[in-house]
Coordinates of all heavy atoms in Angstrom, one line a residue:
G54 N 15.3 13.4 12.5 CA 15.7 14.6 13.3 C 16.4 15.6 12.4 O 16.9 16.6 12.9
R55 N 16.3 15.4 11.1 CA 16.8 16.4 10.0 C 18.3 16.5 10.0 O 18.8 17.5 9.5 CB 16.1 17.7 10.2 CG 14.6 17.7 9.9 CD 14.0 19.1 9.9 NE 12.7 19.1 9.4 CZ 11.6 18.7 10.0 NH1 11.7 18.3 11.3 NH2 10.4 18.8 9.4
S56 N 19.0 15.5 10.5 CA 20.4 15.4 10.2 C 20.7 15.0 8.8 O 20.0 14.1 8.3 CB 21.1 14.4 11.2 OG 21.0 14.8 12.5
T57 N 21.6 15.6 8.1 CA 21.8 15.3 6.7 C 23.3 14.8 6.4 O 24.2 15.1 7.2 CB 21.6 16.6 5.9 OG1 22.4 17.6 6.3 CG2 20.1 17.0 6.0
N58 N 23.4 14.1 5.3 CA 24.7 13.8 4.8 C 24.7 13.8 3.3 O 23.6 13.5 2.7 CB 25.3 12.5 5.4 CG 24.7 11.3 4.8 OD1 23.5 10.9 5.1 ND2 25.4 10.6 3.9
Y59 N 25.8 14.1 2.7 CA 25.9 14.2 1.2 C 27.1 13.5 0.6 O 28.1 13.4 1.3 CB 26.0 15.7 0.8 CG 24.8 16.5 1.2 CD1 24.8 17.2 2.5 CD2 23.7 16.7 0.4 CE1 23.7 18.0 2.8 CE2 22.6 17.5 0.7 CZ 22.6 18.1 2.0 OH 21.6 18.9 2.3
A60 N 26.9 13.0 -0.6 CA 28.1 12.5 -1.3 C 29.0 13.7 -1.6 O 28.5 14.8 -1.8 CB 27.6 11.9 -2.6
D61 N 30.3 13.4 -1.6 CA 31.3 14.5 -1.8 C 31.0 15.2 -3.1 O 31.3 16.4 -3.2 CB 32.7 14.0 -1.8 CG 33.1 13.6 -0.4 OD1 32.5 14.0 0.6 OD2 34.1 12.8 -0.2
S62 N 30.6 14.5 -4.1 CA 30.4 15.1 -5.4 C 29.3 16.1 -5.5 O 29.2 16.9 -6.5 CB 30.1 14.0 -6.5 OG 29.0 13.3 -6.1
V63 N 28.4 16.2 -4.5 CA 27.3 17.1 -4.6 C 27.3 18.1 -3.4 O 26.4 19.0 -3.4 CB 25.9 16.4 -4.6 CG1 25.9 15.4 -5.7 CG2 25.6 15.7 -3.2
K64 N 28.2 18.0 -2.5 CA 28.3 18.9 -1.4 C 28.5 20.4 -1.9 O 29.2 20.7 -2.8 CB 29.5 18.6 -0.5 CG 29.2 17.4 0.4 CD 30.4 17.1 1.3 CE 30.2 15.9 2.2 NZ 31.3 15.6 3.1
G65 N 27.7 21.3 -1.3 CA 27.7 22.7 -1.6 C 26.8 23.0 -2.8 O 26.6 24.2 -3.1
R66 N 26.3 22.0 -3.5 CA 25.4 22.2 -4.7 C 24.0 21.7 -4.5 O 23.1 22.3 -4.9 CB 26.0 21.6 -5.9 CG 27.4 22.1 -6.3 CD 27.8 21.5 -7.7 NE 27.9 20.1 -7.7 CZ 27.2 19.2 -8.5 NH1 26.4 19.8 -9.3 NH2 27.4 17.9 -8.4
F67 N 23.9 20.6 -3.7 CA 22.6 20.0 -3.5 C 22.1 20.2 -2.1 O 23.0 20.2 -1.2 CB 22.6 18.5 -3.8 CG 22.7 18.1 -5.3 CD1 23.1 19.1 -6.2 CD2 22.6 16.8 -5.6 CE1 23.2 18.7 -7.6 CE2 22.7 16.4 -7.0 CZ 23.0 17.4 -7.9
T68 N 20.9 20.3 -1.8 CA 20.3 20.4 -0.5 C 19.1 19.5 -0.3 O 18.2 19.5 -1.1 CB 19.9 21.8 -0.1 OG1 21.0 22.7 -0.3 CG2 19.4 21.9 1.3
I69 N 19.2 18.6 0.7 CA 18.0 17.7 0.9 C 17.2 18.3 2.1 O 17.8 18.8 3.1 CB 18.5 16.3 1.2 CG1 17.3 15.3 1.3 CG2 19.4 16.2 2.5 CD1 17.7 13.8 1.3
S70 N 15.9 18.1 2.0 CA 15.1 18.6 3.1 C 13.8 17.7 3.1 O 13.6 17.0 2.2 CB 14.7 20.1 2.9 OG 14.0 20.3 1.7
R71 N 13.0 17.9 4.2 CA 11.8 17.1 4.3 C 10.7 17.9 4.9 O 10.9 18.8 5.7 CB 12.0 15.8 5.0 CG 12.4 16.0 6.5 CD 13.0 14.7 7.1 NE 11.9 13.7 7.3 CZ 12.1 12.4 7.6 NH1 13.4 11.9 7.7 NH2 11.1 11.6 7.7
D72 N 9.5 17.5 4.6 CA 8.3 18.1 5.2 C 7.5 16.9 5.8 O 6.8 16.2 5.1 CB 7.4 18.9 4.2 CG 6.3 19.6 4.8 OD1 5.8 19.2 5.9 OD2 5.8 20.6 4.2
N73 N 7.6 16.7 7.1 CA 7.0 15.6 7.7 C 5.5 15.6 7.6 O 4.8 14.5 7.5 CB 7.4 15.4 9.2 CG 8.9 15.0 9.3 OD1 9.5 14.5 8.4 ND2 9.5 15.3 10.4
A74 N 4.9 16.8 7.7 CA 3.4 16.9 7.6 C 2.9 16.4 6.2 O 1.8 16.0 6.1 CB 3.0 18.3 7.8
K75 N 3.7 16.5 5.2 CA 3.4 16.1 3.9 C 4.0 14.7 3.4 O 3.8 14.3 2.3 CB 3.8 17.1 2.8 CG 3.1 18.5 3.0 CD 3.5 19.5 2.0 CE 2.8 20.8 2.2 NZ 3.3 21.8 1.1
N76 N 4.8 14.1 4.3 CA 5.5 12.9 4.0 C 6.3 13.0 2.7 O 6.3 12.1 1.9 CB 4.5 11.7 3.9 CG 4.0 11.3 5.3 OD1 4.6 11.5 6.3 ND2 2.8 10.7 5.3
T77 N 7.0 14.1 2.6 CA 7.7 14.5 1.4 C 9.1 14.8 1.7 O 9.4 15.5 2.6 CB 7.0 15.6 0.7 OG1 5.6 15.2 0.3 CG2 7.7 16.0 -0.6
V78 N 10.0 14.4 0.8 CA 11.4 14.8 0.8 C 11.8 15.5 -0.5 O 11.2 15.1 -1.5 CB 12.3 13.5 1.0 CG1 12.2 12.5 -0.1 CG2 13.8 14.0 1.2
Y79 N 12.6 16.5 -0.4 CA 13.0 17.3 -1.5 C 14.5 17.2 -1.8 O 15.3 16.9 -0.9 CB 12.6 18.7 -1.3 CG 11.2 19.0 -1.0 CD1 10.8 19.1 0.3 CD2 10.2 19.1 -2.0 CE1 9.4 19.3 0.6 CE2 8.9 19.3 -1.7 CZ 8.5 19.4 -0.4 OH 7.2 19.6 -0.1
L80 N 14.9 17.4 -3.0 CA 16.3 17.6 -3.3 C 16.4 18.8 -4.2 O 16.0 18.8 -5.4 CB 16.9 16.3 -4.0 CG 18.4 16.4 -4.3 CD1 19.1 16.3 -3.0 CD2 18.8 15.2 -5.2
Q81 N 17.0 19.9 -3.7 CA 17.3 21.1 -4.5 C 18.6 20.9 -5.1 O 19.6 20.8 -4.4 CB 17.2 22.3 -3.6 CG 17.5 23.6 -4.3 CD 16.5 24.0 -5.3 OE1 15.3 23.9 -5.1 NE2 17.0 24.3 -6.5
M82 N 18.7 21.0 -6.4 CA 20.0 20.8 -7.1 C 20.3 22.0 -7.9 O 19.6 22.5 -8.8 CB 19.8 19.6 -8.1 CG 19.4 18.3 -7.5 SD 19.3 16.9 -8.6 CE 18.0 17.4 -9.7
N83 N 21.5 22.6 -7.5 CA 22.0 23.8 -8.1 C 23.3 23.6 -8.8 O 24.0 22.6 -8.5 CB 22.1 25.0 -7.1 CG 20.8 25.3 -6.4 OD1 19.8 25.3 -7.0 ND2 20.9 25.7 -5.1
S84 N 23.7 24.5 -9.7 CA 25.0 24.4 -10.4 C 25.2 23.0 -11.0 O 26.2 22.3 -10.8 CB 26.1 24.7 -9.4 OG 26.0 26.0 -8.9
L85 N 24.1 22.5 -11.7 CA 24.2 21.2 -12.2 C 25.2 21.0 -13.3 O 25.5 21.9 -14.1 CB 22.8 20.8 -12.8 CG 21.7 20.5 -11.7 CD1 20.3 20.6 -12.3 CD2 22.0 19.1 -11.2
K86 N 25.8 19.8 -13.3 CA 26.9 19.4 -14.2 C 26.4 18.3 -15.1 O 25.5 17.5 -14.7 CB 28.1 19.0 -13.5 CG 28.6 20.1 -12.5 CD 29.8 19.5 -11.7 CE 30.3 20.5 -10.7 NZ 31.5 20.0 -9.9
P87 N 27.0 18.1 -16.3 CA 26.6 16.9 -17.1 C 26.8 15.6 -16.4 O 26.0 14.7 -16.6 CB 27.6 17.1 -18.3 CG 27.9 18.5 -18.4 CD 27.9 19.0 -17.0
E88 N 27.8 15.5 -15.5 CA 28.0 14.3 -14.8 C 26.9 14.0 -13.7 O 26.8 12.9 -13.1 CB 29.3 14.2 -14.1 CG 29.7 15.5 -13.3 CD 30.5 16.4 -14.1 OE1 30.2 16.7 -15.3 OE2 31.5 17.0 -13.6
D89 N 26.0 14.9 -13.5 CA 24.8 14.7 -12.6 C 23.7 14.0 -13.4 O 22.7 13.6 -12.7 CB 24.3 16.0 -12.1 CG 25.3 16.7 -11.2 OD1 25.9 16.0 -10.4 OD2 25.4 18.0 -11.2
T90 N 23.8 13.8 -14.7 CA 22.8 13.1 -15.4 C 22.6 11.7 -14.9 O 23.6 10.9 -14.9 CB 23.2 13.1 -16.9 OG1 23.2 14.5 -17.4 CG2 22.2 12.3 -17.7
A91 N 21.4 11.3 -14.6 CA 21.1 10.0 -14.0 C 19.6 9.9 -13.8 O 18.9 10.9 -13.8 CB 21.9 9.8 -12.7
V92 N 19.2 8.7 -13.5 CA 17.9 8.5 -12.9 C 18.0 8.7 -11.4 O 18.8 8.0 -10.8 CB 17.3 7.1 -13.3 CG1 15.9 6.9 -12.6 CG2 17.1 7.0 -14.8
Y93 N 17.2 9.5 -10.8 CA 17.2 9.8 -9.4 C 16.1 9.0 -8.7 O 14.9 9.1 -9.1 CB 17.1 11.3 -9.1 CG 18.4 12.0 -9.4 CD1 18.9 12.2 -10.7 CD2 19.2 12.5 -8.3 CE1 20.1 12.8 -11.0 CE2 20.4 13.2 -8.6 CZ 20.8 13.3 -9.9 OH 22.0 13.9 -10.2
Y94 N 16.5 8.3 -7.7 CA 15.5 7.4 -6.9 C 15.3 7.9 -5.5 O 16.3 8.2 -4.8 CB 16.0 6.0 -6.9 CG 16.0 5.3 -8.2 CD1 17.2 5.3 -9.0 CD2 14.9 4.6 -8.8 CE1 17.3 4.7 -10.2 CE2 15.0 4.0 -10.0 CZ 16.2 4.1 -10.7 OH 16.3 3.4 -11.9
C95 N 14.1 7.9 -5.0 CA 13.8 8.2 -3.7 C 13.8 6.9 -2.8 O 13.4 5.9 -3.3 CB 12.4 8.9 -3.6 SG 11.8 9.3 -2.0
N96 N 14.2 7.0 -1.6 CA 14.3 5.9 -0.7 C 13.8 6.3 0.7 O 14.1 7.4 1.1 CB 15.7 5.3 -0.7 CG 15.9 4.1 0.2 OD1 16.2 4.3 1.4 ND2 15.6 3.0 -0.3
A97 N 13.2 5.3 1.4 CA 12.7 5.6 2.7 C 12.6 4.4 3.6 O 12.3 3.3 3.1 CB 11.3 6.3 2.7
D98 N 13.0 4.5 4.8 CA 12.7 3.5 5.9 C 11.5 3.9 6.6 O 11.5 5.0 7.2 CB 13.9 3.4 6.8 CG 15.2 2.8 6.1 OD1 15.0 2.0 5.2 OD2 16.3 3.3 6.5
L99 N 10.5 3.0 6.8 CA 9.3 3.4 7.5 C 8.6 2.2 8.1 O 8.8 1.1 7.7 CB 8.4 4.2 6.5 CG 7.9 3.5 5.3 CD1 6.6 2.7 5.6 CD2 7.6 4.6 4.2
H100 N 7.7 2.6 9.0 CA 6.7 1.7 9.6 C 5.3 2.0 9.0 O 4.9 3.2 9.0 CB 6.6 1.8 11.1 CG 7.4 0.8 11.9 ND1 8.1 1.1 13.0 CD2 7.4 -0.6 11.8 CE1 8.7 0.0 13.5 NE2 8.2 -1.0 12.8
S101 N 4.6 1.0 8.5 CA 3.2 1.3 8.1 C 2.4 1.2 9.3 O 2.8 0.8 10.4 CB 2.8 0.2 7.0 OG 2.9 -1.1 7.5
Y102 N 1.1 1.6 9.2 CA 0.2 1.6 10.3 C -0.7 0.3 10.3 O -1.2 0.0 9.2 CB -0.6 2.8 10.3 CG -1.4 3.0 11.6 CD1 -0.9 3.7 12.7 CD2 -2.7 2.5 11.7 CE1 -1.6 3.8 13.9 CE2 -3.5 2.7 12.9 CZ -2.9 3.3 13.9 OH -3.6 3.5 15.1
P103 N -0.8 -0.4 11.4 CA -0.2 -0.2 12.7 C 1.3 -0.6 12.7 O 1.7 -1.4 11.8 CB -1.0 -1.1 13.6 CG -1.5 -2.2 12.7 CD -1.8 -1.5 11.4
P104 N 2.1 -0.1 13.6 CA 3.5 -0.2 13.5 C 4.0 -1.6 14.1 O 4.8 -1.6 15.1 CB 4.0 0.9 14.4 CG 3.0 1.2 15.4 CD 1.7 0.9 14.7
Y105 N 3.5 -2.7 13.5 CA 4.0 -4.0 14.0 C 5.0 -4.5 13.0 O 4.9 -4.2 11.8 CB 2.8 -4.9 14.1 CG 1.7 -4.4 15.0 CD1 0.3 -4.6 14.7 CD2 2.0 -3.8 16.2 CE1 -0.7 -4.1 15.5 CE2 1.0 -3.4 17.0 CZ -0.3 -3.5 16.7 OH -1.3 -3.1 17.5
G106 N 5.8 -5.4 13.5 CA 6.8 -6.0 12.6 C 8.0 -5.1 12.4 O 8.3 -4.2 13.2
E107 N 8.8 -5.4 11.3 CA 10.0 -4.7 11.1 C 9.8 -3.5 10.3 O 8.9 -3.3 9.5 CB 11.0 -5.7 10.3 CG 11.3 -7.0 11.0 CD 12.1 -6.7 12.3 OE1 12.9 -5.8 12.4 OE2 11.9 -7.5 13.3
V108 N 10.8 -2.5 10.5 CA 10.8 -1.4 9.6 C 11.2 -1.9 8.2 O 12.0 -2.7 8.0 CB 11.9 -0.4 10.1 CG1 12.1 0.8 9.1 CG2 11.5 0.2 11.5
R109 N 10.5 -1.3 7.2 CA 10.7 -1.7 5.8 C 11.3 -0.6 5.0 O 11.1 0.6 5.3 CB 9.4 -2.2 5.2 CG 8.9 -3.5 5.8 CD 7.7 -4.0 5.1 NE 8.0 -4.4 3.7 CZ 7.2 -4.9 2.8 NH1 5.9 -4.9 3.1 NH2 7.6 -5.3 1.6
N110 N 12.1 -1.0 4.0 CA 12.7 0.0 3.1 C 11.9 0.0 1.7 O 11.6 -1.0 1.2 CB 14.1 -0.4 2.8 CG 14.9 0.6 2.0 OD1 15.1 0.4 0.8 ND2 15.3 1.7 2.6
Y111 N 11.7 1.2 1.2 CA 10.9 1.4 0.0 C 11.7 2.2 -1.0 O 12.5 3.1 -0.6 CB 9.6 2.1 0.3 CG 8.6 1.2 1.1 CD1 8.7 1.2 2.5 CD2 7.7 0.5 0.5 CE1 7.8 0.5 3.2 CE2 6.8 -0.3 1.2 CZ 6.9 -0.3 2.6 OH 6.0 -1.0 3.4
W112 N 11.5 2.0 -2.3 CA 12.1 2.7 -3.4 C 11.0 3.3 -4.3 O 9.9 2.7 -4.5 CB 12.9 1.8 -4.3 CG 14.2 1.4 -3.6 CD1 14.5 0.2 -3.0 CD2 15.5 2.1 -3.6 NE1 15.8 0.2 -2.5 CE2 16.4 1.3 -2.9 CE3 15.8 3.3 -4.1 CZ2 17.7 1.7 -2.7 CZ3 17.2 3.8 -3.9 CH2 18.1 3.0 -3.3
G113 N 11.2 4.5 -4.8 CA 10.4 5.0 -5.8 C 10.8 4.5 -7.2 O 11.8 3.7 -7.3
Q114 N 10.1 4.8 -8.2 CA 10.4 4.3 -9.6 C 11.4 5.1 -10.3 O 11.9 4.7 -11.3 CB 9.1 4.2 -10.4 CG 8.2 3.2 -9.9 CD 7.1 2.9 -10.9 OE1 7.1 3.2 -12.1 NE2 6.0 2.2 -10.4
G115 N 11.8 6.3 -9.8 CA 12.8 7.1 -10.3 C 12.3 8.2 -11.2 O 11.2 8.1 -11.8
T116 N 13.1 9.3 -11.4 CA 12.8 10.4 -12.3 C 14.1 10.8 -13.0 O 15.2 10.9 -12.4 CB 12.2 11.6 -11.5 OG1 11.9 12.6 -12.4 CG2 13.2 12.2 -10.5
Q117 N 14.0 11.0 -14.3 CA 15.2 11.3 -15.1 C 15.6 12.7 -15.0 O 14.8 13.6 -15.1 CB 14.9 10.9 -16.6 CG 16.1 11.2 -17.5 CD 17.2 10.3 -17.4 OE1 17.0 9.1 -17.3 NE2 18.4 10.9 -17.2
V118 N 16.9 12.9 -14.7 CA 17.5 14.2 -14.7 C 18.6 14.2 -15.8 O 19.5 13.4 -15.8 CB 18.1 14.6 -13.4 CG1 19.0 15.9 -13.5 CG2 17.1 14.7 -12.3
T119 N 18.5 15.1 -16.8 CA 19.5 15.2 -17.9 C 20.0 16.6 -17.9 O 19.3 17.6 -18.0 CB 18.9 14.9 -19.2 OG1 18.3 13.6 -19.2 CG2 19.9 15.0 -20.3
V120 N 21.4 16.7 -17.8 CA 22.1 18.0 -17.8 C 22.9 18.1 -19.1 O 23.9 17.4 -19.2 CB 23.0 18.2 -16.6 CG1 23.6 19.6 -16.6 CG2 22.2 18.0 -15.3
S121 N 22.4 18.9 -20.0 CA 23.1 19.0 -21.3 C 22.8 20.3 -22.0 O 21.8 20.9 -21.7 CB 22.6 17.9 -22.2 OG 23.1 17.9 -23.5

Side-chain angles (χ1 to χ4, degrees):
R55 292 184 169 83
S56 296
T57 60
N58 74 286
Y59 298 89
D61 288 341
S62 59
V63 306
K64 285 182 178 178
R66 300 189 297 121
F67 291 9
T68 303
I69 189 170
S70 61
R71 64 192 290 168
D72 185 336
N73 290 337
K75 298 180 179 179
N76 288 335
T77 299
V78 63
Y79 305 94
L80 186 68
Q81 178 67 47
M82 304 184 294
N83 299 324
S84 302
L85 283 162
K86 305 174 181 179
E88 49 264 45
D89 294 319
T90 296
V92 176
Y93 284 70
Y94 296 91
C95 178
N96 180 267
D98 293 324
L99 60 85
H100 261 136
S101 60
Y102 191 88
Y105 304 140
E107 301 294 329
V108 174
R109 297 185 65 183
N110 184 259
Y111 294 85
W112 289 95
Q114 293 192 16
T116 185
Q117 177 71 48
V118 172
T119 302
V120 184
S121 177

